[in-house]
Amino acid sequence: MSSKRPDGIEEYDAPAGGWGALKAVAATLKQQQVMTQGPLTLLKANQPDGFDCPGCAWPDPNHTSAFEFCENGAKAISWESTSKRAGPDFFAGHTVSELWDWTDHKLEDQGRLTTPMIYDSTIDQYKPIAWDEAFERIGKELRALESPDQAEFYTSGRASNEAAFMYQLFVRAFGTNNFPDCSNMCHEATSVGLPKSIGVGKGTVSLHDFDHADAIISIGHNPGTNHPRMMTTLHKASRRGVPIVVFNPLKERALERFAAPQNPLEMATFSSTAIASAYHQVKAGGDLAALKGIMKLLLERDAADLAAGGKGLLARDFINMHTVGFEDLKRDLLQTEWEQIYRKSGLKRAAFESTADVYLSSKRLIICYGMGITQHSIGTQVVQQLANLLLLGGHMGREGAGICPLRGHSNVQGDRTVGITEIPNRALIDGMERAFGFRPRQDKGHSAVESIEAIIDGRSKALVCLGGNLAVAMSDPEATYAGMRKLDLAVHLATKLNRSHLLTAKTSIVLPVLGRTDQDIQATGLQSVTVEDSMSMVHASRGFLKPPSDQLKSEPAIIAMMAKATLGDRYGIDWEGLAADYDRIRDKIEIVFPDFFDFNKRVRMPGGFRLDVPAASREWHTDNGKANFLVAGGLEEDIRFDDPDVLILTTLRSHGQYNTTVYNMDDRYRGVFGRRDIIFMSEQDLKARGLADGDKIDITGVKVGNSTPQTVAAFTAVRYDIPVGTIAGYYPEMNKVIALADLDTTSGTPAYKGVPVMVRRSAG
Ligand SMILES: Nc1nc2c(c(=O)[nH]1)N[C@H]1C(S)=C(S)[C@@H](COP(=O)(O)OP(=O)(O)OC[C@H]3O[C@@H](n4cnc5c(=O)[nH]c(N)nc54)[C@H](O)[C@@H]3O)O[C@H]1N2
Ligand SMILES: Nc1nc2c(c(=O)[nH]1)N[C@H]1C(S)=C(S)[C@@H](COP(=O)(O)OP(=O)(O)OC[C@H]3O[C@@H](n4cnc5c(=O)[nH]c(N)nc54)[C@H](O)[C@@H]3O)O[C@H]1N2
Ligand SMILES: [Mo]
C-alpha cells in the first residue's frame, strides 16, 4: 500500500533485538546522562554478585558469565541511575498546579528525588521537611484516624522482600488488612485462579524446563518489550526446532523474528531467527473461545481415536490419578458450538487443527501468558482454562512442561509471598503470631479497586504508597484523582516524581528512597535485599552506586521509622534493630514462612534458592488434594454489548515505557515514532465508520456499573493489522475510558484488555 501514512507511522521491517536494540541503549544512556557510571551499572545487572534488574521478573540463568543484554533492562537501570536530580531547588521553582500540566515523561525525567518534601498549600509547592518531623507528622495523622481501616497501604512490585515484609508487619500491627497492591491490577487472576486448579498461585516451570520443552504456547504477552531476556530463551528454543504457537491480536515483531544481540553471526549478517511457528491473531477477549476450541478439538480427535480402537490421545492415566472434573469440562466443551467459537475468537478451523497437531505431537508443553489473559472480566476463569489445557495432556509437574505466567514488576511475586495481601490466610496469621507475639486480624481488607472506591466515597482518609503511581495506573483516573484530592494524608515513598504525588491531600509527604542500584548502608554495614522472580527463585540483590543524595533512606529503614513514630512500643517490635541488619528481617521472614528455612544461609549461595512449588512435583495443595478441571461458562470474557457499534479496546505498553513511566515517545517494533496519541484499528472497522487512516477520532467508554462515560478526544486512527472488532491504544492514556466497575469480580483485576468503547470522528 503506497498511500501516505499518518505522521510518525512507519513500516518497521527489521527484526526485534539486533542493532536497533543496541542503538536504543546508547541513546538511552546519553539521554539519562549516565555515560560515566552507566556501562558499569549495566554489567552488574543480574550477576551473582550484582543487583536484580528492576526491569522485569524473568529469571537469570545461574551460570551467567557475560552480561545478558537487554534493551529495556538498560532503560530501567539508566532511568534509575541517571545523574539528573529533582531537589529542593526544583520544587521551589514550580507550583504543583504548574507541574500538573506537565507530561508524565517530563515529571519523572527531572531525575531522582533527593530530600523529604511536604506540601505547603499556602504557596502550592512542595518544600523540604526533616525526616524526623515527617515521621512525626505521619504518625500523628495515622493515629488520629477513627479506625485503622480508614487508611490504605499500597505496594508497587519493586519493593524487596525485606521492605514488603516490614511494611506488612507495620500495617498489621497498625491494625488493618487494606493492602491494595499492583498485583491487583496485574496477575491477581493467576494468584486467585491457579490455587483452585493446581494448588499454587504461581508458575510451575523453571528456566531449566525451557531447555526440555518440545512445544511452547505464548498467549497474551509481548516479551520483546516486556520481558526481553525471555527472548534469549525463545530464540534458543526456536533454533532447537521447538514449535512456538502464538495467540495475540497484534503481530508483535519479537514473536515473529528476533536477532539475538549475543549472537555474532546474526549481528554480522543482519539476519534473524523466526520465533513463532504459527501466529494466530485472536480477537481481544477471544482467548476463552480459542482455548475451548483447542480443547474441544482434542476431545474430538481423542474420541475418534478411541472409536478406531486406539488408546485415546489424552493423558488418561494422569487424568484418572491426579485430577477431578474431567467429565464436567467435557460436557461444557461438547455443548459449545464451533460456530460460536469461530465467531468469538476470530480464528478459523485451520488455526485449531494446527494447534491440536502441535499439542498432540508434543510430550512436554509449556504455556506462557501475560496481561492479555488476566486483564478481562473473567480473567481468573481464563487462567484456569490454560491449566485445563495443560492437564489434558498431563503437562504439569514433569520436566519441560507446565504453566508460566510472566510476572510484571521484578518482585511482585515476592511481595505476595512475604505477606502483602488483603486476604491473609490462617498460616500467615499464625506465622505472625509465632514471630512477633501478637495475632493480626484475619478479615479481608481492600484490594486496589476497593481502596480507590473507599477513597472516592470518603470512607478512607489516608493513603500510604510504597512506590508506584497508583492514581495513573488505575482505571477511571478522573474519579480517582478527585477522590485522592479529598484525603487527609498522602505519603509516597518514591525514587522519582510522578502524577500521584501531585494529588495533594491535607497533608502530603514525599519520601525519597534508595533504588536497586544504590548502595544501602545501615548501622551494621552494607546491606543486600532479596527478590523472588517469576519462577520462584529467591536471590540477593546488592546495589553498588553512590546514592544520588546523602539524605536518601532505604525502604526498610523508612518503614521502620514510620512504624515507630506511629505505633511507639506496641507489641515490643524492635524496629531499629530490624532496620539495622536485614539478616534479622530475613530471620523473621523465616519464622513466619517456613518455606524460607535457612534463609540467610541459602540466599548467600550463588543464584539463591527456589521456593517450593508443590504442583511442580504433582503435589496438589487444593481442597480435594487433586488438580481440578474448572469450567468457565459461555464464551464471553468481557462485558457483552449487543450493539455492533461497540468495539473492544485493549490497552498496551509501548516499547518506550515502563508502566506509567514513559521513557520516550516511540514504539519502535510497532512502527510508531514520536507519539502516543493513536489508536490501532483494522481497515474494516475504519471503513464501517467512514474513517480513513490518519483521521482524528474520539473514543468514549461505554457505561459500566454506575460509571460516567469518559472520552479521550482527538486521537489519530492508525490502520493496523488487528482483528475486526478489536482496537488498541496505549496505557495509561486510555485509562480514562475504563470504568472502575469494569473488572474481574473474582480477582478484582480491572478489565484493561477488554474495554467496551465507541469510536467517532472528532468534531473539531
Ligand atoms: N519494558 C517494560 N517491561 C515491563 C513493563 C513495561 O511497562 N515496560 N511492565 C512490567 C509489568 S508490571 C508487567 S505486568 C508486564 C506486562 O507484560 P505483558 O503481559 O506483555 O503486557 P502488555 O504490554 O500489557 O501486553 C499484552 C500483550 O497481550 C496482547 N493482548 C492484548 N489483549 C489481548 C487479548 O485479549 N488476548 C491475547 N491473547 N492477547 C492480548 C497485546 O497485543 C500485547 O502483545 O511487563 C513487565 N515488564
Ligand atoms: N490500562 C492499563 N492500566 C494498567 C495496566 C494495563 O496493562 N493497562 N497494567 C497494570 C499493571 S500490570 C500494573 S503492575 C500497574 C502498575 O502500577 P504501579 O506499580 O503503581 O506503577 P509504576 O508505573 O510501575 O510506578 C512507577 C513509579 O514507581 C516509583 N519507583 C520506581 N522505582 C522505585 C523504587 O525502587 N522504590 C520506590 N519506592 N518507588 C519506585 C517511581 O516514583 C515511579 O514514578 O498498572 C496497571 N494499569
Ligand atoms: Mo504488572
Side-chain angles (χ1 to χ4, degrees), residues 174 224 645:
F174 178 63
D645 221 17

Side-chain angles (χ1 to χ4, degrees), residues 509-650:
I509 294 177
V510 176
L511 302 173
V513 302
L514 294 172
R516 283 278 170 80
T517 50
D518 301 320
Q519 276 188 342
D520 178 355
I521 298 173
Q522 302 296 333
T524 59
L526 189 63
Q527 305 294 316
S528 294
V529 294
T530 63
V531 294
E532 174 185 344
D533 65 32
S534 247
M535 296 181 186
S536 303
M537 290 294 305
V538 177
H539 54 90
S541 173
R542 170 176 291 200
F544 62 98
L545 292 178
K546 189 172 163 325
S549 136
D550 53 15
Q551 291 227 33
L552 300 198
K553 290 191 189 297
S554 75
E555 292 173 340
I558 295 174
I559 294 160
M561 289 157 105
M562 216 159 48
K564 181 91 193 168
T566 308
L567 306 175
D569 290 327
R570 188 184 297 179
Y571 308 132
I573 299 165
D574 178 13
W575 294 107
E576 286 97 343
L578 288 168
D581 181 352
Y582 299 175
D583 276 2
R584 294 179 197 147
I585 304 179
R586 288 186 280 271
D587 284 340
K588 291 289 188 187
I589 292 178
E590 175 174 341
I591 298 176
V592 181
F593 306 101
D595 267 3
F596 283 87
F597 64 92
D598 288 340
F599 193 0
N600 276 309
K601 191 167 131 214
R602 287 195 295 159
V603 84
R604 282 177 166 80
M605 321 244 254
F609 60 93
R610 189 168 190 218
L611 289 170
D612 187 34
V613 180
S617 47
R618 298 196 167 172
E619 262 180 62
W620 317 105
H621 288 198
T622 51
D623 289 344
N624 55 11
K626 298 276 184 182
N628 288 296
F629 287 102
L630 297 169
V631 174
L635 293 175
E636 297 298 341
E637 270 182 63
D638 299 295
I639 295 181
R640 189 177 146 67
F641 293 87
D642 279 323
D643 188 342
D645 221 17
V646 173
L647 294 168
I648 292 296
L649 167 77
T650 185

Side-chain angles (χ1 to χ4, degrees), residues 145 265 273 361 642 656 685 694:
L145 297 173
L265 193 62
T273 299
S361 50
D642 279 323
D685 280 327

Side-chain angles (χ1 to χ4, degrees), residues 55-56 72 186 219-222 225-227 247-250 252 282-285 287 370-372 376 407-409 650-653 657-659 670 753:
C56 74
N72 279 349
C186 187
I219 181 163
H221 69 122
N222 182 22
T225 290
N226 297 317
H227 302 89
F247 292 84
N248 194 310
L250 274 69
E252 305 290 20
V282 64
K283 290 185 185 211
D287 304 279
M371 301 296 101
H376 290 282
R407 294 277 170 172
H409 275 295
T650 185
T651 56
L652 310 167
R653 291 158 167 79
Q657 80 183 80
Y658 193 94
N659 297 339
R670 298 192 186 114
K753 299 280 190 278

Side-chain angles (χ1 to χ4, degrees), residues 107-123:
L107 290 174
E108 280 205 40
D109 197 30
Q110 299 314 304
R112 293 286 298 273
L113 298 165
T114 64
T115 326
M117 309 289 296
I118 186 164
Y119 178 65
D120 181 343
S121 62
T122 59
I123 50 171

Side-chain angles (χ1 to χ4, degrees), residues 123-134:
I123 50 171
D124 187 29
Q125 283 183 351
Y126 270 103
K127 60 181 196 196
I129 181 174
W131 280 106
D132 284 352
E133 241 179 281

Side-chain angles (χ1 to χ4, degrees), residues 264-277:
L265 193 62
E266 283 186 353
M267 292 301 274
T269 57
F270 293 91
S271 59
S272 61
T273 299
I275 299 298
S277 54

